[in-house]
Amino acid sequence: MKMQFPEMLEETAPPRRILLGEQAYLLGGFALPYISQLIPEIEQVCKLSPFRNMVTPGGYAMSVGLTNCGALGWTTHRRGYQYTTQDPDSGNAWPPMPLVFTRLATEAAREAGFNAFIPDACLINQYLPGSKLSLHQDKNERDFRFPIVSVSLGMPAIFLFGGNARSDPTQRVFLQHGDVMVWGGVDRLRYHGVMPLKDNPHPLLGSRRINFTFRRAG
């Protein structure tokens, strides 16, 4: 299995674009110029809709805490996976997507060659030491023409990027604070996941990794 290791990036370093598939890219450090705006907005979203460990259809509590912002939010429960307009815990609409989120998502998508992407859903995940995400496809969206844009903050993680079948070999992609992944087109339904997170505290976020994934769901 391949292991991609981008160089350590400073806040002012230019982004690096690494090709992971025909239409899949790692944009190393792309989110770094946005960090000072992203963190307060994440905190505000989480005040309105706190992180929670949802239960999968199989009855297992996810090790990753999640919340959402935007017109639609991804949820899981015993009846299946779906997008909803309301936070099931509060009954309120999901918090609106901050403008800086939308700008980051559209500019990252454009950098990867997807010029018409405007997200309507943002899933925010919180990984603590030991948290992981099993291989899966993002396939609850209505239109697969639009890419997935995934932003990493905080502790580093090893992202598994597979093929269109669960049994296909996976690339191991080392993700650092500020990295952005974009995949779409022929790569849109590739399986992906995250290996168990090691405790390697980050100066800004401590012993956690925040990942937010932008989609066009509706």
Side-chain angles (χ1 to χ4, degrees):
M1 290 183 286
K2 295 182 179 179
M3 182 80 82
Q4 301 276 1
F5 286 98
E7 297 174 2
M8 185 65 72
L9 293 163
E10 301 296 334
E11 295 289 328
T12 56
R16 297 180 59 208
R17 187 166 72 169
I18 299 173
L19 186 65
L20 300 175
E22 290 184 51
Q23 292 180 280
Y25 294 90
L26 168 59
L27 306 179
F30 191 89
L32 290 176
Y34 301 82
I35 298 296
S36 62
Q37 299 176 66
L38 294 175
I39 300 299
E41 295 290 4
I42 292 170
E43 293 175 348
Q44 183 60 33
V45 168
C46 294
K47 286 181 181 179
L48 298 173
S49 289
F51 288 115
R52 77 291 307 263
N53 298 89
M54 291 189 174
V55 177
T56 68
Y60 297 99
M62 297 180 65
S63 65
V64 176
L66 63 84
T67 186
N68 293 275
C69 64
L72 295 169
W74 185 87
T75 63
T76 175
H77 45 69
R78 289 183 179 271
R79 296 187 300 278
Y81 308 109
Q82 64 178 350
Y83 282 95
T84 65
T85 58
Q86 296 178 325
D87 181 339
D89 284 6
S90 67
N92 297 325
W94 293 107
M97 191 179 303
L99 291 178
V100 65
F101 278 34
T102 304
R103 187 167 73 251
L104 171 57
T106 56
E107 291 182 1
R110 188 179 302 114
E111 179 71 17
F114 300 97
N115 296 321
F117 179 63
I118 300 176
D120 59 5
C122 178
L123 171 64
I124 307 174
N125 288 329
Q126 177 175 253
Y127 292 76
L128 302 178
S131 297
K132 64 180 181 179
L133 195 61
S134 300
L135 284 175
H136 66 282
Q137 293 172 301
D138 289 347
K139 57 182 181 181
N140 300 120
E141 298 75 32
R142 292 184 180 179
D143 192 336
F144 297 151
R145 291 178 301 170
F146 298 102
I148 304 294
V149 177
S150 179
V151 180
S152 294
L153 301 179
M155 292 201 300
I158 296 178
F159 183 84
L160 300 174
F161 196 53
N164 289 330
R166 188 184 296 274
S167 59
D168 288 344
T170 58
Q171 299 181 65
R172 294 188 176 190
V173 184
F174 185 71
L175 296 179
Q176 299 184 103
H177 179 68
D179 287 348
V180 180
M181 283 194 61
V182 183
W183 65 95
V186 297
D187 294 312
R188 172 62 175 74
L189 290 176
R190 288 175 65 162
Y191 276 85
H192 55 282
V194 177
M195 293 185 67
L197 199 69
K198 294 182 178 180
D199 192 1
N200 184 10
H202 185 270
L204 185 61
L205 293 174
S207 291
R208 60 181 180 147
R209 172 182 182 250
I210 302 296
N211 167 249
F212 42 106
T213 306
F214 297 98
R215 303 127 188 245
R216 182 76 180 187

